[in-house]
Amino acid sequence: MAPILEARRLDKSFPRAGGAVTVLQGCDFALAPGENVAIIGPSGAGKSTFLNLISGLDAPTAGEVLYDGKPLTGLGPDGWADWRRAHVGFVFQFHFLLPDFTALENVLMPARLRGDSGAQAAGRALALLARMGLADRADHLPGELSGGEQQRVAVARAYMNAPRLVLADEPFGNLDLQKGRELADLLLSLGRDEGSSLVVVTHDLTLAARADRILELRDGRLAEAPAGLS
Ligand SMILES: Nc1ncnc2c1ncn2[C@@H]1O[C@H](COP(=O)(O)OP(=O)(O)OP(=O)(O)O)[C@@H](O)[C@H]1O
Ligand SMILES: [Mg+2]
């Protein structure tokens, strides 16, 4: 199957006084439609940098990113933002929920941002919250939810606009092992039901093993993780 997302020969270095820091060097990547890929690698290996490059939040020093075979590189900040709004959901280590809005309103936010606040959107938001086990927390403010519940709201929000691609950077990093694994199961099963693709960065090899494929970022490149990990 033709990949939904591809990165070709990505290089990234950060210029700094005293010498540039090279993070990625000739990094290749291909993600199939509906595929779940986990990315592992030591701290500072460039995992967050890689997610930033494939979503246009940062620009590569060289190389290109393609979506459905078409180059995204060169779109410019507004073009990338339009593309993200239409096709990508994000989950971060910190939930970034809006503190003055209820769980339901937070999940609805991506729909509102594209001008859709009808009953159908509200129905989908409620269904996603229910799927996350939060049917009875829809009118709670983030401050009235536990850390794990907050992160589940953030997952529901990421899927609100039915993105074809979800990018998650250490989404379980702040949760205890048990809560993190519960959330990983929810994230993976929701992604599979929605038919979307997922790229998830995690330090937890047990979580990574639940994805379809594990890639390791090392020395600036992505490679299949050594056998025995998956
Ligand atoms: N804006 C920047 N300027 C200079 N160096 C940077 C910048 N952003 C990141 N780096 C460097 O790039 C390297 C990769 O950073 P990155 O955040 O991608 O790592 P990571 O694999 O996500 O690590 P972690 O597991 O700790 O989150 C680090 O050595 C970091 O210091
Ligand atoms: Mg990181």
Side-chain angles (χ1 to χ4, degrees):
M1 220 178 325
I4 172 175
L5 190 79
E6 254 182 292
R8 291 189 189 155
R9 313 294 304 159
L10 281 188
D11 292 349
K12 180 66 181 178
S13 46
F14 294 101
R16 280 180 60 84
V21 182
T22 297
V23 180
L24 302 178
Q25 229 172 354
C27 185
D28 290 318
F29 175 72
L31 182 70
E35 189 180 31
N36 294 320
V37 171
I39 295 181
I40 60 169
S43 181
K47 303 179 298 296
S48 297
T49 301
F50 176 73
L51 288 191
N52 289 343
L53 295 186
I54 61 173
S55 56
L57 295 173
D58 197 358
T61 311
E64 60 176 355
V65 178
L66 300 98
Y67 182 70
D68 279 339
K70 295 182 204 73
L72 292 171
T73 324
L75 270 188
D78 290 348
W80 274 104
D82 288 344
W83 172 76
R84 282 193 297 272
R85 215 171 288 128
H87 302 291
V88 190
F90 288 93
V91 189
F92 299 99
Q93 181 168 4
F94 304 100
H95 56 73
F96 295 121
L97 298 176
L98 299 170
D100 299 329
F101 290 82
T102 65
L104 180 63
E105 288 166 337
N106 268 284
V107 176
L108 263 173
M109 203 54 73
R112 285 199 180 145
L113 286 175
R114 64 172 194 189
D116 179 5
S117 51
Q120 215 178 332
R124 175 165 169 84
L126 273 173
L128 284 166
L129 279 173
R131 179 69 191 265
M132 292 291 123
L134 295 173
D136 56 350
R137 294 284 187 277
D139 61 350
H140 281 229
L141 295 173
E144 300 169 334
L145 298 170
S146 75
E149 287 170 342
Q150 290 168 346
Q151 206 54 332
R152 279 186 272 155
V153 175
V155 169
R157 179 184 56 185
Y159 282 91
M160 179 63 214
N161 284 351
R164 288 180 69 210
L165 175 64
V166 172
L167 304 179
D169 194 353
E170 295 277 358
F172 329 108
N174 281 331
L175 305 178
D176 65 46
L177 212 58
Q178 173 67 18
K179 289 269 178 321
R181 287 176 184 174
E182 280 168 22
L183 185 62
D185 284 337
L186 282 169
L187 179 65
L188 286 168
S189 73
L190 181 59
R192 286 187 174 120
D193 290 352
E194 294 268 321
S196 53
S197 304
L198 175 72
V199 180
V200 57
V201 168
T202 179
H203 282 294
D204 185 338
L205 293 180
T206 308
L207 290 185
R210 296 180 190 196
D212 301 323
R213 203 150 56 96
I214 306 180
L215 297 177
E216 185 176 19
L217 191 50
R218 199 172 276 276
D219 302 327
R221 288 191 181 82
L222 278 170
E224 301 289 334
L229 281 183
S230 48

